[in-house]
Each structure stands twice: as C-alpha cells, then as structure tokens.
C-alpha cells in the first residue's frame, strides 16, 4: 500500500523501533517494520506465527552460518537476525528521497585494520601455501576499513541510504536495516539466490572490462570477450554455482546466457542458472551458502583457507540479506506443509549478497572488502583493489569526498565482477551489436550441452535400475556428478568421506569416489588416509569402482604410478585428450597428476591413457575405471558420453 513518505520516514529515527528500507526498482522504496528475533539456525527462521499463518521475514544471515554445512569459520556469535514484518509499506522513490536526511556523517580515526604491507604478505602466503598446494582455484581474503562515527545510528542509516539512492545506481538491492545495536546499509550489485513459484535462480558474474577513455566500443569490447583468461574465470564461477544448483534442483539447473551487464565504466559477463525445486526456501539458502565470488572454490576448502588467513570474523560480510515473502497461493497452509517432501513451499525467497555494505555498531563503522586471489595475482594489485572497493562504498554513502573515489580506484590493478558501479549512461547497448552478440554466443560452443539444454526430471537412462554410492571428498562437484549418474538411470546417493561405512564400500553396486582439494600424498591428512582406504579396499574387492580427479590420483598410486605436482596447475582448463581411443573434450581442475614413462599403455592390470609427456588422464582395469578430468564440469563437452563409457566398463568387467 502507499502512505505519505514524510510522516513515515521522519518518524523512523525517532521511534527507536527496528526497520528496514529496501529499493529493488527505480520507482519505489519498501519500508518494513516489525519485531526482531535472533535465531541459531536457518531452520529456526520464523516463517509462520503461532497459528501457522505465513509471515514475511527479512533475515540478515552472517557468514558464521556456514557451520550448518560443517564448514570452518571464525565464530564471533554474529546473530542470524530476523525482522518479522508487521507492516510493509511501499513509497514513491522520489517522494521518499526528499524526506531523508542529507547532511554528511563525519568519520574519525579512519583506516584499514590491516596495513597494506601486511595484506600483501597474506596474498603471497595464500598463493604459495594454498593455491600452490592444490587447495583450490581461487580464494577471497578480506580486510576492513574502519572509522569512528558520533552520529545517531538511525540518522546515519537514513543519511547513507539516501546517498546510495542518489549516487549508486544499478544495484540489485539498495537497503538499510536498523536494529537494536546494529546498522547495515549497502547497495548489493548481485543476487545470490532467489526462489519464486518453485523456480530457483542464481546469477554467477565474472569477468570485467574497464572502459577506455571515451567509453566502450564494439572494437574495444571484442578484445575482452576474446580473452581466454576472462572466459575461463566466468566458466569456473558457473561450475561452482552449478554444484549448488544440483543440490537443490531436481533438474540440476539449466544455463542461459552469456549476457553483458553494461555499466558506465565497466562491462561484466554473466550467466543465469535456473532449475525447479520444492525445497523449503530455508533449505535452499542453506545448500547455497555462500557465493564463490566472495569466498572462493571449492567452497568447503575456501572456508578453511579464509579461517587460516583472515585475522577476524567476517560478521555479515559475504552472507546474505534474505527476504522471505508469503506466496499469494499459500492460502491457509500450516506449519509442516513446506519442504522437499510434501506440498509447495509457502514462501518465495529473494537473497542478495552482503557486499558493498557499511556496518555500524557501538559507534564504529566497518566496511569489509575482499580481493579474489588466483595463482597469478599481484600482491600490490590486490592491495589496490581493496582500496578501490572501500573508496567506492565510502564515496557512495558520502563518507568521503566523491572525487577521492577515482584516486583510490586508480590503485587497483584489476576489478572483479561483483565490484561496481552505475548503469551505462549511453542509450546504445553494445550487446545489440550483431558482431558482439555472435562473439558472446560463441562461448557456449565450448560448453557441455547437458547443462545448456532442458533435462528430464525422471530420466530412464541406459543404466536404469543400478545403484551407486558417490563419495564426497569435500568438493561439491559430486552433486553435479550424482545428477549426471541419475540421468544415466542410476540411483545415486552422496555420502561424505567420513561417513562412508564398511557396508558402503563392500556392498554398493557401484562406488564413485569423487574429487577434492589437496595433495593426495599428504600423510597427515585424515581425509586422504580415508580416501586411500576406500579406493584400495574397493579395488581389491573387484566390485565396480569409478574414481574422479583426486580419487583418480589415489587409484593411480594404488596401481603403482608416480604422483607429482604439475608445473602449472590446471584450474578451469579445457583440454581434448584421448580416452582409450576416443578424443574427449574435458574440463580439468587439478594441481597434481599421475605420471608414467612416455609411451606406456599398461601398468599391472591397468590400461593407461596418457599424453606424450606421460601425464595420465584415465585408467581402466577389471571392475574399475578412473579419469583425471571433471566429466561433470560445464567445460566437459564430452563429459556424459565419457562418463557412460567408464561406468559401463566398470560394471561390465567386474568379476
């Protein structure tokens, strides 16, 4: 409903009651008021009142909730804060703007909590000790810009919210959330996950083109779109979010795009992932914690690396603001009627990432900013990136003069997809240029048709009626792999490595040992020890076994092959390799490899598929097969046919 802006907005600061302001379009501002409830778990978010009637809830989900998935974090006790909405008022944006305070809020004692040299040292350590040892492809490490603020928190929130509306265009959400003792104000550029009428959507973004002086042209954009590095970075992010989609969607998730997101000074590339799910939206949120663009990949190990190298807890940074809205068709649905096992969920979900956000508590302002570290990161370039990001937020809220934004941003050697900024001012969209559109569309020729095309939710594949246990070695590529196995007809069940029983190893019709981070030779890793036990025992039993990536390396060592680090890690690399007489285009994410003398085609009872240098890409023997690449990746154009070949071999040749 509509209400006079002045009487409502001017009373917010004086009331001392909790409230939230949200702008999700160019025309309106939503005002939410109600009571605050802090809960421990996502399942505790109070989507229904005592009578079972659906309620609207805005939840601030902190990074520490990754504990629900068993992931590591610095646990600072930041609450999962829920504003249970009593009133939801919609105001005309322009009318509301005139009634928000505009006087700048002064900062004192401002600066980063970690100095530039110390942050550069962290970057060096992550590159050498984490990426260099195969712990993952990329990691996001943050530091905080902090300052003292003397202003009333609610007044500061309203002031900064107005500044964002006036100066930070193009955000997915612009918001201010004011609760007892805490303020969050931001302009999130990116949706993390939404669920509307049973359709789950995620929006992975990566790749950034900085416009040259005079603006972007088709000619200058062409070079960017042709960049292998930029293209592969986007593909890696899509793979990571497809892992999440495969966990929550019955159809695994379908890719559409790529698209251009054109800004005033930047152009990004993005895909949209969609799938259908009947899960409770709280379960969807749990299975998609959190975006790889603000954590790294693989997700579980990224959390461990963040815990090792960040000096303080993240609070709400890289979590989400989640708005749960009762569906119009929910009717009188009562508690117990939501979730995966029964009727349709009673709520839709809209959850942007909590980045480009300023937090205020106890008179202290905190603006967390992170840089994405990859193998070839320049430490001082990453230092500059954090300066540019912090300046962007501070300038947008009017906390520093806006002419300083350009000075700080000039320090940045590179800018990530989730950074910035304003929508392009030029009316002509470069995406409408036929040559640009064709070049953009050509990217999909590299991708697996399996993830681009609609999929049946109940396939009857060539292996229908067979069963499989998929061992998760802490890389959720297993969710995509299990989805593909189900598409082939198998009844695939995922089991974490530490929960695999002796009965699973002995009795499963097919055991699929999956990928994971780290050095397979590590004698101190309990995960590696257990994976070696599973692979060795299963191979010795003669029962059907498929091993992928890390598990392929472990199987190779069990066969008697040497394991060695690659000179250059294969992270998000697409290669065409010979797999037992058939060329296959496959995506690779490995730092280590099994190696044989060039020309070797058999070791013990194993047939070997290797390249001219002796790097082993696949093995097969009586009752087993393995592959170094990720057949489930979007980069594996021949993934499904190769997966079927290897699984069929294992099943047919078992004694």
């Amino acid at each position: 409903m509509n209400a006079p802006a002045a009487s409502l907005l001017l009373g917010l600061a004086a009331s001392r009651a909790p409230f939230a302001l949200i702008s999700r379009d160019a025309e309106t501002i939503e005002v939410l008021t109600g009571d605050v409830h802090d809960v421990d778990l996502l399942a505790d978010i109070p989507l229904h009142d005592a009578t079972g009637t659906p309620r609207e809830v805005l939840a601030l989900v902190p990074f520490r909730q990754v504990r629900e998935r068993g992931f590591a974090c610095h646990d600072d006790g930041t609450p999962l804060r829920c504003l249970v909405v009593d009133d939801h008022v919609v105001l005309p944006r322009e009318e509301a703007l005139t009634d928000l305070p505009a006087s700048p809020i002064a900062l004192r004692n401002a600066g980063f909590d970690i100095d530039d040299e110390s942050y550069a040292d962290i970057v060096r350590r992550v590159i050498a000790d984490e990426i260099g040892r195969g712990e993952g492809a990329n990691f996001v490490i943050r530091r905080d810009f902090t300052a003292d603020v003397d202003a009333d928190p609610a007044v500061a929130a309203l002031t900064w919210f107005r500044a964002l509306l006036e100066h930070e265009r193009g955000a997915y959400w612009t918001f201010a959330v004011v609760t007892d003792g805490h303020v969050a104000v931001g302009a999130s550029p990116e949706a993390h996950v939404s669920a509307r009428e049973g359709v789950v959507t995620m929006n992975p973004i990566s790749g950034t083109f900085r416009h040259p002086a005079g603006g972007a042209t088709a000619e200058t954009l062409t070079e960017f779109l042709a960049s292998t590095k930029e293209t592969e970075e986007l593909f890696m992010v899509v793979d990571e979010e497809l892992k999440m989609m495969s966990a929550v969607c019955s159809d695994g998730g379908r890719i559409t795009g790529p698209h251009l997101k054109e800004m005033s000074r930047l152009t990004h590339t993005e895909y949209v992932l969609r799938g259908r799910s009947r899960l409770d939206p709280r379960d969807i949120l749990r299975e998609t914690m959190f975006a790889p663009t603000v954590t790294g990949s693989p997700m579980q190990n990224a959390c461990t690396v963040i815990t090792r190298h960040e000096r303080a807890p993240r609070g709400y940074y890289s979590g989400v603001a989640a708005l749960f809205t009762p569906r119009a068709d929910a009717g009188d649905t009562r508690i117990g009627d939501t979730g995966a096992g029964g009727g349709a969920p009673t709520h839709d979900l809209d959850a942007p990432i909590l980045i480009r956000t300023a937090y205020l508590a106890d008179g202290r302002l905190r603006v967390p900013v992170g840089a994405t570290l990859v193998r070839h990161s320049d430490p001082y370039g990453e230092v500059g990136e954090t300066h540019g990001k912090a300046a962007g937020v501070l300038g947008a809220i009017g906390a520093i003069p806006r002419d300083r934004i350009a000075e700080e941003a000039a320090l940045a050697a590179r800018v990530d997809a989730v950074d910035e900024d304003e929508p392009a001012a030029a009316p002509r969209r470069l995406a409408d240029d036929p040559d640009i559109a064709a070049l953009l569309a050509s990217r999909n020729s590299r991708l697996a048709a399996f993830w681009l095309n609609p999929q049946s939710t109940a396939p009857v594949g060539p292996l229908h009626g067979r069963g499989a246990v998929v061992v998760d070695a802490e890389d959720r590529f297993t969710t995509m792999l299990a989805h593909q196995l189900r598409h082939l007809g198998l009844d695939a069940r995922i089991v974490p490595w530490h929960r695999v029983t002796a009965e699973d190893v002995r009795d499963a019709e097919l055991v699929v040992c999956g990928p994971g981070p780290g050095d397979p030779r590590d004698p101190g890793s309990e995960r590696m020890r257990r994976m070696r036990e599973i692979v060795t025992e299963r191979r010795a039993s003669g029962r059907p076994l498929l091993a992928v990536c890390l598990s392929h390396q472990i199987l190779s060592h069990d066969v008697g092959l040497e394991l060695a680090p690659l000179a250059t890690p294969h992270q998000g690399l697409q290669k065409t390799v010979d797999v037992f007489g058939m060329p296959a285009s496959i995506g690779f994410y490995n730092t280590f490899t099994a190696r044989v003398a060039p020309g070797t085609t058999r070791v013990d009872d194993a047939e070997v598929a290797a390249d001219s240098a002796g790097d082993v890409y696949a093995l097969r023997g009586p009752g087993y097969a393995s592959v170094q690449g990720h057949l489930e990746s979007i980069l594996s154009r021949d993934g499904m046919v190769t997966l079927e070949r290897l699984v069929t071999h294992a099943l047919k040749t078992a004694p």
Side-chain angles (χ1 to χ4, degrees):
M1 63 180 178
N2 293 327
S7 59
L8 180 58
L9 293 177
L10 293 178
L12 290 177
S15 71
R16 303 297 174 185
F19 68 86
L21 306 179
I22 304 173
S23 175
R24 292 189 280 181
D25 59 46
E27 305 297 330
T28 63
I29 292 173
E30 301 167 69
V31 183
L32 284 62
T33 56
D35 295 327
V36 168
H37 300 271
D38 292 343
V39 299
D40 185 44
L41 302 174
L42 290 168
D44 299 330
I45 294 173
L47 298 188
H48 300 81
D49 65 15
T51 69
T53 302
R55 299 293 303 273
E56 184 171 37
V57 178
L58 173 64
L60 292 181
V61 182
F63 181 72
R64 68 188 287 264
Q65 292 307 128
V66 297
R67 297 172 304 121
E68 293 196 42
R69 292 180 58 187
F71 298 173
C73 71
H74 292 298
D75 189 354
D76 58 349
T78 298
L80 201 177
R81 179 148 292 181
C82 301
L83 177 66
V84 180
V85 179
D86 290 325
D87 290 302
H88 187 151
V89 177
V90 179
L91 304 176
R93 176 179 171 134
E94 293 306 316
E95 179 183 343
L97 269 176
T98 63
D99 295 299
L100 291 168
S103 298
I105 304 295
L107 306 184
R108 296 184 295 104
N109 304 320
F112 280 103
D113 61 339
I114 300 172
D115 64 69
D116 288 355
E117 282 299 328
S118 297
Y119 188 78
D121 285 341
I122 293 172
V123 174
R124 294 186 189 99
R125 291 200 302 272
V126 170
I127 294 170
D129 299 341
E130 309 294 356
I131 298 174
R133 292 205 313 254
E135 298 299 325
N138 56 80
F139 302 106
V140 179
I141 303 298
R142 78 166 222 295
R143 61 177 178 160
D144 297 345
F145 186 94
T146 64
D148 292 327
V149 175
D150 294 327
D152 177 85
V155 172
L158 295 173
T159 302
W160 293 337
F161 180 71
R162 173 176 179 155
L164 288 171
L165 290 178
E166 291 180 326
H167 300 286
E168 186 67 21
R169 294 164 293 165
Y172 180 68
W173 268 35
T174 302
F175 62 91
V177 182
V178 178
T179 59
D180 186 28
H182 190 268
V183 164
V185 184
S188 176
E190 185 175 349
H192 175 49
V193 64
S194 66
R196 296 184 178 93
E197 298 181 353
V199 176
V200 176
T201 302
M202 300 185 76
N203 180 207
I205 301 173
S206 186
T208 300
F209 172 61
R210 272 186 159 179
H211 298 174
T217 65
E219 291 73 21
T220 56
L221 185 59
T222 294
E223 183 179 354
F224 163 74
L225 292 178
S227 166
T228 299
K229 173 182 177 294
E230 297 287 354
T231 301
E232 290 183 349
E233 284 185 4
L234 177 59
F235 290 163
M236 283 192 283
V237 173
V238 173
D239 259 339
E240 197 67 24
E241 295 205 359
L242 267 175
K243 297 176 187 179
M244 300 176 180
M245 292 290 287
S246 293
V248 301
C249 297
S250 58
D251 54 358
R254 181 189 176 197
I255 303 171
T256 59
H259 309 290
L260 290 182
K261 178 173 284 189
E262 298 180 54
M263 309 293 198
S264 62
R265 295 186 298 272
L266 303 170
T267 293
H268 306 305
T269 50
E270 62 183 359
Y271 279 90
V272 175
L273 314 181
R274 290 190 178 92
R276 300 201 65 85
S277 178
R278 295 181 66 85
L279 288 178
D280 184 299
R282 293 167 295 191
D283 294 332
I284 292 172
L285 201 54
R286 181 185 304 105
E287 292 300 317
T288 59
M289 293 191 298
F290 285 111
T293 49
V294 287
T295 54
S297 63
M299 178 66 197
Q300 182 167 353
N301 222 41
C303 290
T304 301
V305 170
I306 288 168
T307 304
R308 277 201 288 262
H309 293 278
E310 290 189 355
R311 298 181 180 180
R314 287 194 162 198
Y316 291 108
Y317 171 72
S318 71
V320 297
L323 183 62
F324 298 87
T325 303
R327 292 176 53 173
D329 60 358
D332 291 328
T333 304
R334 293 296 190 255
I335 296 172
D337 291 337
T338 63
T346 57
H347 289 71
D348 288 336
L349 169 69
D350 187 11
I353 302 172
L354 285 172
I355 53 175
R356 292 184 55 77
T357 299
Y359 302 96
L360 181 60
D362 299 323
R364 191 70 171 163
L365 171 71
R366 188 173 68 94
V367 179
V369 290
T372 302
L373 312 184
V374 297
R375 180 175 174 81
H376 298 297
S377 285
D378 168 49
Y380 293 108
E382 305 299 357
V383 167
E385 181 177 337
T386 61
H387 276 274
K389 288 181 174 180
V393 176
L394 294 166
I397 66 175
I400 62 173
R402 292 187 176 89
D403 57 8
R404 279 185 55 194
I405 299 175
E407 298 174 16
E408 295 281 4
L411 290 170
R414 46 187 286 275
V415 181
D416 284 326
V418 299
D419 284 356
E420 320 297 352
D421 233 333
E422 302 130 31
R428 184 175 69 88
R429 296 177 65 250
L430 289 174
D432 294 332
D433 182 288
D435 292 335
I436 293 296
L439 183 58
L440 198 62
S442 70
R443 289 185 170 191
N444 286 353
S445 65
R446 297 182 56 187
L447 303 185
F450 179 82
W451 298 108
L452 293 168
N453 297 328
Q455 301 165 22
S456 169
T457 57
V460 180
L463 301 176
H464 179 68
R466 315 298 288 266
V469 168
V470 181
V471 181
D472 185 345
E474 297 188 2
D475 188 334
R476 296 191 84 197
F477 262 128
T478 49
T479 62
M480 297 168 65
L481 184 59
H483 179 70
Q484 288 186 320
L485 291 168
R486 294 177 189 122
H487 196 81
L488 292 174
L490 287 101
D491 179 11
R493 175 171 59 93
I494 299 173
V495 182
W497 64 270
H498 57 282
R499 295 180 180 171
V500 175
T501 65
E503 290 74 17
D504 290 329
V505 177
R506 183 186 66 240
D507 298 336
E509 191 167 5
L510 171 69
V511 170
V512 179
C513 289
D519 184 343
R521 307 165 301 175
D522 184 354
S525 168
E526 178 66 18
R527 175 167 54 90
M528 297 301 177
R529 183 195 65 78
R530 181 58 180 144
M531 291 301 296
R532 287 192 290 267
E533 287 178 353
I534 295 169
V535 169
T536 299
E537 291 174 14
R538 183 68 181 191
R539 175 175 174 247
S541 74
R543 301 273 286 159
L545 168 68
L546 175 68
V548 178
C549 196
L550 172 71
S551 297
H552 156 82
Q553 297 161 12
I554 292 172
L555 176 65
S556 297
H557 186 265
D558 189 59
V559 169
L561 306 187
E562 172 195 2
L563 299 181
L566 292 164
T568 302
H570 294 165
Q571 296 294 344
L573 180 66
Q574 186 180 56
K575 299 180 68 173
T576 298
V577 298
D578 184 277
V579 180
F580 307 117
M582 181 178 293
S585 178
I586 296 173
F588 289 81
Y589 286 84
N590 62 302
T591 299
F592 297 87
T593 185
R595 192 163 283 158
V596 295
T600 301
T601 59
R602 181 170 289 277
V603 173
D604 193 17
D605 64 355
E607 186 180 355
V608 178
D611 63 14
S612 59
D615 288 350
V616 178
Y617 294 130
L619 297 174
R620 64 182 182 186
Y624 68 85
S626 70
V627 63
Q628 177 61 77
H630 287 259
L631 305 181
E632 67 281 7
S633 167
I634 62 166
L635 291 169
S636 293
R637 288 182 298 179
D638 299 311
M640 280 297 291
V641 65
T642 306
L643 179 64
E644 183 179 347
R645 286 180 66 209
L646 295 179
V647 170
T648 300
H649 169 86
L651 290 169
K652 285 187 174 180
T653 61

